[in-house]
Amino acid sequence: MEWDLLEKTTFWIEGIDLEGANLGEVAKTAALALGMKPDDIMVVDVRPGLVAFDVLRRQVKAESIVGKEKEILRQLGNLAGVKLDASAVVHSEGVLGLIALGEKEGFKVLTESERMAADISKAVSLRAIVFASGSEVIAGKIEDTNSPYILQALEQAGYKTKFGGILEDNAQAAASGLEAALEQGYGLIITTGGVGAEDKDFSIEAICRLDPDAATPWILKFKPDYHRHHKEGVRIAVGQVGIARMVALPGPHEEAKLGCNRLIEGLRAGLDKSELAEYIAGAIRDRWQNMMKKGGQKHGSSHHSS
């Protein structure tokens, strides 16, 4: 579990004197005592009876700092040129102040923090927001049947849901909408539509802007004609930022329903983003292969954003 230092990056030791000590070694020893890399800490001030340090990173592991006062003093006390008084203590403000906690107090803080983090993570993971996409929906030419279905399915699965509105056919605008949902603490963000091969389809690109390593398996691939089809085919996407999942599902209602059901099953099974993406894509891919065998329409002729 990592904690943000929130600009409070300095700690200092009182009851310490240096005589011929190597400041680089002093900083390195303090860093190692706190489970950090040797260059994560530097000495920023030396006075009679006091040495101040600055942590050169924004986030620290909780277990590395809580209750580590004795360990820091022990390791520094073994360095050449470092003299510690019997009353030497570590001081700081903010998160780093937890260095000075006793062993029992430190264990209690860590245990309670982990419990709170788990509770927050669980609450966030069950907050879902669903977006429709496309100018056709905005103009009222196409009814959004996907969002009501997905919202109801998620509610039945135990999620607290919200309809997020309609995303524009623009990668930056869509990414901004998804980013706003992340900032509002939604753990599951779903879009429908905008995953096709037309030059107005940007749901995949929007997710990839927020997670460049998003899983984007193909549903169908074909050669672009650069008239209607400007991309190689149709994909879905599953991206992740922190504990939040972003999922782009197709627009056709039957595909959106199938993808939604697979999504809920995959989340229950604890699949990672790559496994989840393939689990969803595989079902939709199989559906299209079966339709083609039966002489169904080509995907591009029926795919729309809704």
Side-chain angles (χ1 to χ4, degrees):
M1 180 173 57
E2 292 199 338
W3 287 340
D4 195 309
L5 294 181
L6 300 174
E7 311 303 331
K8 301 288 186 179
T9 60
T10 303
F11 67 94
W12 61 96
I13 299 174
E14 292 182 355
I16 183 173
D17 282 292
L18 305 183
E19 186 173 342
N22 183 310
L23 292 184
E25 285 299 310
V26 172
K28 176 183 175 180
T29 299
L32 294 176
L34 290 173
M36 300 183 194
K37 295 179 181 179
D39 56 356
D40 279 343
I41 290 179
M42 68 181 296
V43 175
V44 293
D45 194 11
V46 177
R47 303 180 188 184
L50 183 146
V51 175
F53 302 82
D54 193 50
V55 179
L56 305 178
R57 54 188 295 177
R58 174 142 185 145
Q59 293 186 321
V60 296
K61 291 184 178 179
E63 58 271 24
S64 295
I65 64 168
V66 174
K68 290 301 180 73
E69 180 181 58
K70 288 183 179 180
E71 183 64 15
I72 293 174
L73 296 178
R74 184 188 69 79
Q75 292 199 33
L76 287 175
N78 291 331
L79 277 182
V82 176
K83 181 181 178 182
L84 291 174
D85 296 341
S87 59
V89 291
V90 178
H91 292 286
S92 184
E93 298 176 351
V95 169
L96 290 177
L98 298 174
I99 291 173
L101 288 182
E103 186 175 336
K104 289 184 178 179
E105 291 175 304
F107 178 77
K108 183 178 180 181
V109 166
L110 280 176
T111 302
E112 183 63 17
S113 296
E114 288 171 357
R115 184 192 66 77
M116 290 176 64
D119 288 346
I120 292 170
S121 178
K122 182 178 180 181
V124 169
S125 68
L126 290 175
R127 296 187 72 227
I129 187 168
V130 179
F131 293 94
S133 69
S135 56
E136 300 100 325
V137 184
I138 293 174
K141 295 179 180 179
I142 296 176
E143 180 186 358
D144 175 22
T145 56
N146 293 335
S147 299
Y149 176 88
I150 294 171
L151 290 167
Q152 184 178 23
L154 289 173
E155 287 170 4
Q156 290 175 348
Y159 288 82
K160 294 182 178 179
T161 65
K162 178 183 176 181
F163 177 57
I166 306 168
L167 299 176
E168 297 178 34
D169 291 331
N170 176 284
Q172 182 56 56
S176 295
L178 301 182
E179 188 172 27
L182 288 171
E183 292 172 353
Q184 291 164 19
Y186 286 96
L188 180 59
I189 302 166
I190 301 172
T191 68
T192 63
V195 301
E198 298 180 29
D199 59 1
K200 65 181 181 60
D201 293 325
F202 289 111
S203 293
I204 304 297
E205 289 80 359
I207 286 179
C208 288
R209 287 192 178 207
L210 300 176
D211 177 9
D213 296 319
T216 60
W218 294 99
I219 304 300
L220 285 174
K221 290 196 75 174
F222 42 77
K223 188 176 180 179
D225 59 17
Y226 298 103
H227 294 290
R228 182 177 180 187
H229 298 150
H230 293 256
K231 304 175 189 178
E232 293 182 80
V234 180
R235 297 181 287 171
I236 61 128
V238 177
Q240 185 154 351
V241 176
I243 62 173
R245 296 281 182 93
M246 303 173 293
V247 182
L249 298 176
H253 189 56
E254 292 304 315
E255 294 178 46
K257 284 171 60 179
L258 183 57
C260 172
N261 296 339
R262 279 288 182 119
L263 169 61
I264 292 171
E265 291 171 8
L267 290 172
R268 282 175 176 164
L271 302 183
D272 64 29
K273 69 180 177 184
S274 296
E275 294 168 333
L276 183 59
E278 185 52 41
Y279 187 60
I280 296 169
I284 301 171
R285 196 183 298 128
D286 289 346
R287 178 179 183 272
W288 272 102
Q289 289 174 351
N290 290 333
M291 287 180 63
M292 288 177 178
K293 288 177 183 178
K294 295 176 182 178
Q297 292 181 322
K298 291 184 179 180
H299 189 277
S301 63
S302 65
H303 197 277
H304 57 76
S305 300
S306 59

